[in-house]
Amino acid sequence: METRENGNRETSLRIPATGIIRLEGMKFKAYHGCFEEEKTQGNQFLVDVKIEAALSRCIESDELEDTVDVQEVYQLVAKEMAIPSNLIEHAAGRILQSLASLDGVKSVEVKLSKCNPPLAGPCEKSSVTLSL
């Protein structure tokens, strides 16, 4: 941490920063759904994550251990996506809980989208967004 002389006192330049870390467009083949075809053939899913975290330490140190490791975030998401669920709400809730347990995390938002959901007509994707 740098300090600066200001008359007879020192003042700190430390930045008490909170910031947003995002991972967008993570793609997974998974087996979420209520229909037998979804359970056996799977579908394409997209996951977007928004994490609010304390970032002061990494701003100063430039060290990975002082921030939220996005590789760890990806691995947690992949682990939860590999567990089949009937509902995308259930899968998104598991992802949300896993990410909320990471050090330094203040809030989490997870958007989980199912591409080409089995509906009576064309639909690009169905999505659920959960936040904590």
Side-chain angles (χ1 to χ4, degrees), residues 69-83:
D69 183 346
V70 294
Q71 186 64 253
E72 184 178 6
V73 170
Y74 184 89
Q75 290 170 350
L76 287 171
V77 172
K79 177 183 173 187
E80 297 301 339
M81 288 299 293
I83 301 169

Side-chain angles (χ1 to χ4, degrees), residues 32-34 84-94 112 114 128:
H32 307 309
C34 294
S85 293
N86 289 328
L87 303 174
I88 60 174
E89 292 87 344
H90 186 260
R94 290 195 322 267
L112 175 54
K114 178 188 289 190
V128 63

Side-chain angles (χ1 to χ4, degrees), residues 6 18 57 59 71 90-91 115 118 124 129:
N6 186 7
T18 297
R57 288 179 56 198
I59 289 170
Q71 186 64 253
H90 186 260
C115 299
E124 186 177 305
T129 302

